[in-house]
Amino acid sequence: MRYTKKGITYRKYFTRVKEAIDNDFHLEATWIIYSLLEDRLKSLTIEKLGLVLIRDNVESTIIALKDEIKINPTLSGELSLELLNEIDKWRKDRNDVIHFLTQERINEDELSSISLRGEAILRDIASVNMRIKKRLKGKAA
């Protein structure tokens, strides 16, 4: 079987992100994207690179990856600081959505933009994760 249980779950929720965006359920999409993004970042940071996190959250994961890029030239060729900065900016925008939603300081166009950016970022980090996974498997063989 090509996909693991986790891979099947990941594909299922990636499909739900697309469906949520297609149906203008951008708030739902941002929640799912955040969860998947957190999972992919932790997988990359802890499972693949063996890094220790200061705290168990996306912000700490981003910090750990930025620090590792500075000392690991192989990683810097696979994961850019620009992508990590983009993830961090998206994370902050997503947090603003949660805090400002009831105050009506986020309109539907902004929410749509955040969910679409998040979907693209999620695809990017998933690709990075797969490239590093394949590289590490090649080293183990």
Side-chain angles (χ1 to χ4, degrees):
M1 179 176 207
R2 181 172 177 216
Y3 295 106
T4 63
K5 182 178 179 184
K6 187 167 191 155
I8 292 167
T9 299
Y10 185 79
R11 288 176 55 92
K12 172 181 141 184
Y13 282 104
F14 209 103
T15 299
R16 285 195 58 188
V17 166
K18 181 166 178 20
E19 290 171 355
I21 289 172
D22 289 347
N23 290 295
D24 292 328
F25 298 142
H26 298 288
L27 186 59
E28 178 182 348
T30 61
W31 281 82
I32 298 168
I33 290 165
Y34 188 87
S35 180
L36 292 171
L37 190 59
E38 182 177 49
D39 178 76
R40 295 294 78 204
L41 286 169
K42 283 182 184 177
S43 171
L44 178 60
T45 306
I46 298 167
E47 295 170 23
K48 292 176 182 65
L49 299 175
L51 303 178
V52 176
L53 299 177
I54 297 168
R55 281 180 276 144
D56 187 19
N57 62 28
V58 171
E59 183 178 15
S60 291
T61 307
I62 292 169
I63 291 167
L65 287 169
K66 284 181 175 181
D67 290 345
E68 185 67 13
I69 283 174
K70 292 174 187 172
I71 60 172
N72 185 338
T74 304
L75 181 60
S76 67
E78 297 166 330
L79 176 63
S80 69
L81 286 173
E82 292 79 18
L83 177 56
L84 291 173
N85 289 334
E86 192 175 343
I87 292 169
D88 199 37
K89 180 174 182 346
W90 182 85
R91 177 190 65 81
K92 290 173 184 174
D93 289 345
R94 179 255 183 203
N95 287 348
D96 286 347
V97 167
I98 303 309
H99 296 295
F100 297 145
L101 191 63
T102 59
Q103 299 170 17
E104 297 183 6
R105 291 170 55 184
I106 301 287
N107 65 43
E108 286 297 317
D109 289 340
E110 290 172 300
L111 189 53
S112 172
S113 174
I114 291 168
S115 68
L116 290 170
R117 278 185 22 241
E119 181 184 30
I121 290 168
L122 179 59
R123 288 182 190 279
D124 289 345
I125 201 66
S127 294
V128 167
N129 205 330
M130 288 304 293
R131 283 193 305 271
I132 292 172
K133 181 178 180 178
K134 287 178 182 177
R135 174 177 54 84
L136 293 173
K137 275 187 177 179
K139 280 185 177 179

